[in-house]
Amino acid sequence: MQEFEEALLTLREAGRYRQLRRMESASAPRVQVESRELVMCASNNYLGFANDERVIQAACAALQTYGTGASGSRLITGNSTLHEQLEATIARFKQTESAILFNTGYMANVAALTTLFGDGDVIFSDELNHASIIDGCRMSKAQVVIYRHSDMADLQGKMEEFHHAKKKLIVTDGVFSMDGDIAPLPQIVELAQREQAFVMVDDAHATGVLGAHGGGTVDYFQLDARYVQIQVGTLSKAISSEGGFIAGDQVLIDYLRNKARPFIFSTALSPGVVAAALTAIELIGAEADRRNRLHRLSIQLRSALAARGFQVQQGETPIIPVVIGEERRALAFAKRLETLGVFAPAIRPPSVPVGSSRIRLTLMATHSDRDLELILHAFETAGKEVGVIS
Ligand code: PMP
């Protein structure tokens, strides 16, 4: 225990000891956090379905029919009509032949990388990919080559070095989770075609948010789904439930169903979360207005923050990083925001590079215009006090 205690002490001294915050209400634009009402600016409930009455009712009805737990893995006794319906719905939504569920997006990434790639293969991975991709790469026995963030010249150079590898894969986040930028998928696909490599996209933050149909980055760039053979997603963000999935060709999904250890050796998702996800995906198809509003708000808030002198990455996704710089200043900024009624925690190393600590705002389609005014007012006040803007 002494070793762990010392490590914790080091974290405390560096100001990096992490503490849990306690939410006392649903993840909506106004939340109750430790007895205070705040404007929530850090939720992945992008479209507002996590507290939508129709989604809640669907989950309740499934609980009444199927009970609380699936009580078995999919291949033994845990498979239900609902699981099959959800996989078929995801395949339609992603315009692929088939899809397979996992218990989290994290597990879906690990499953894809460790089951499909191994000894003699090479995985080319963007340096800013999500931790679950990094872990999946480490756990696979493939050689891993990191390329500079969305840098196609660097990727091309590195791919040429490994021309004769057995199988090759380019893996990228669709929308990067800390910067909110969109991967250059058309160029990645072009390179992959030239080098005969697979493409895998993790669309955790793009699913339901980007594209004419909310289908994610493939939909956004109007690419043929056959060129992105492995489409990973999570049910925990815009789809407002929990779980993850891989969508792709029938043969790929059949292979995963037979070989992927995270699928085989874990209990199936519980009926309530499966039903919630099913309803949310239906609503994504039926209510494009939510997606359009989210898009509009994201652009509006970015330009309003930039106009006030903040360092904001331009873009169109609901992940809006406001770079503060030094770690302690970002912490002080987040603390002041909170006293002004806005919940938007600081993101610090190791999640982001040293010197680029930031406030990572995320918007929801259900934020009102008044919420946006409050956010801007809090940023302006805190920004002046902490010395981020003049
Ligand atoms: N990929 C990305 C890009 C993510 O941001 C996340 C969630 N933080 C995941 C995968 C993991 O998804 P889940 O929370 O469903 O495990």
Side-chain angles (χ1 to χ4, degrees), residues 5-51:
E5 258 176 34
E6 281 167 12
L8 286 172
L9 191 64
T10 310
L11 282 178
R12 277 186 204 278
E13 282 167 1
R16 287 190 186 166
Y17 181 80
R18 308 188 66 160
Q19 259 167 328
L20 295 168
R21 301 301 307 272
R22 196 175 55 252
M23 304 294 136
E24 294 156 348
S25 63
S27 198
R30 299 295 172 101
V31 282
Q32 189 82 13
V33 186
E34 293 152 8
S35 305
R36 278 197 67 207
E37 191 192 90
L38 300 173
V39 179
M40 168 54 89
C41 292
S43 170
N44 294 324
N45 180 18
Y46 293 126
L47 299 174
F49 289 135
N51 51 319

Side-chain angles (χ1 to χ4, degrees), residues 70-109:
S71 308
S73 63
R74 289 288 300 284
L75 289 170
I76 310 293
T77 56
N79 186 41
S80 74
T81 319
L82 282 177
H83 294 89
E84 291 182 5
Q85 273 177 1
L86 180 55
E87 285 175 338
T89 301
I90 291 169
R92 262 196 314 278
F93 179 47
K94 290 281 174 180
Q95 303 209 315
T96 57
E97 288 177 3
S98 191
I100 178 172
L101 288 170
F102 291 90
N103 287 358
T104 62
Y106 185 109
M107 285 167 80
N109 274 330

Side-chain angles (χ1 to χ4, degrees), residues 44 104-107 109 130 132 173 175 177 202 204-205 234-237 243-244:
N44 294 324
T104 62
Y106 185 109
M107 285 167 80
N109 274 330
H130 188 257
S132 52
D173 279 10
V175 168
S177 53
D202 172 3
H205 295 280
T234 177
L235 304 173
S236 65
K237 302 189 195 293

Side-chain angles (χ1 to χ4, degrees), residues 241-254:
S241 183
E242 66 180 25
F245 61 84
I246 301 173
D249 281 357
Q250 187 66 54
V251 62
L252 182 99
I253 303 304
D254 267 355

Side-chain angles (χ1 to χ4, degrees), residues 287-301:
E287 299 183 357
D289 283 1
R290 283 178 187 256
R291 194 157 56 249
N292 297 338
R293 175 169 172 82
L294 182 62
H295 188 250
R296 223 173 27 250
L297 290 182
S298 304
I299 290 174
Q300 198 180 317
L301 185 59

